[in-house]
Amino acid sequence: MRQNIKIILAAAPLLFLALFAATLSFLHAGLPEVTVRISGYDPRDLLSGHYIAYTIDWDNTDCTQFENNICPKGDFYETGIYGLQGNNHRFYVPEDKADKLDALLENRGGEHIFEIVYGYDPGFRPLAKKLLIDGQDWRLFTEQPESK
């Protein structure tokens, strides 16, 4: 009997974590998606990570996808989470791709259109889901041979 209790107590945190992760996944999957244009910025961070740094380009974002055709800039405003503040954001990617994508984003010169697909519902914190380059997933874009 004691052995069964120990097994249950040992497994309870893992079961709770799995249930919590499944619940979050279900909630995030059901969020309506919106697409916003982005542009690069220099975070001046000595500790580079597995991410590209960007700001949301509200001037070139289609605001008709939001309620009352108004871009909810305040809902996307970062309040100091992960050291970010204001309109500065990060999208996490594998380390070997981050520098290339970040450089491409910052120095694009209008050559490509960069967008982030967010799961967004008013009243909830927006969740960055996908990075798009010229309308396609960034992974597909980076696998293409470079054109000259």
Side-chain angles (χ1 to χ4, degrees):
M1 179 68 172
R2 243 174 210 236
Q3 187 67 9
N4 291 343
I5 292 174
K6 287 181 182 179
I7 291 172
I8 291 171
L9 289 176
L14 293 174
L15 292 173
F16 176 76
L17 181 61
L19 180 62
F20 181 68
T23 302
L24 285 179
S25 179
F26 177 75
L27 290 174
H28 288 156
L31 288 175
E33 291 186 346
V34 295
T35 303
V36 298
R37 283 264 181 103
I38 63 170
S39 58
Y41 85 98
D42 181 7
R44 300 191 190 284
D45 187 355
L46 296 175
L47 302 171
S48 83
H50 313 317
Y51 60 87
I52 60 166
Y54 66 91
T55 59
I56 297 176
D57 183 359
W58 290 112
D59 293 333
N60 292 309
T61 295
D62 176 18
C63 293
T64 62
Q65 60 189 326
F66 299 103
E67 188 175 319
N68 299 326
N69 298 330
I70 299 172
C71 286
K73 298 175 186 178
D75 289 351
F76 287 79
Y77 189 86
E78 293 289 349
T79 56
I81 190 165
Y82 308 119
L84 299 173
Q85 192 161 359
N87 196 28
N88 301 330
H89 304 269
R90 293 179 181 167
F91 186 83
Y92 291 87
V93 295
E95 183 177 15
D96 61 330
K97 305 284 187 192
D99 289 336
K100 179 181 178 186
L101 286 170
D102 202 30
L104 187 63
L105 176 62
E106 284 188 43
N107 301 318
R108 69 181 198 247
E111 185 179 340
H112 301 288
I113 296 172
F114 286 78
E115 299 170 310
I116 297 284
V117 176
Y118 276 92
Y120 172 71
D121 201 15
F124 293 96
R125 186 170 183 270
L127 172 71
K129 290 182 161 187
K130 294 183 251 182
L131 169 63
L132 304 176
I133 303 174
D134 296 335
Q136 62 181 343
D137 189 273
W138 70 270
R139 289 171 285 226
L140 298 174
F141 185 86
T142 56
E143 292 171 2
Q144 295 176 353
E146 292 187 29
S147 59
K148 299 193 179 198

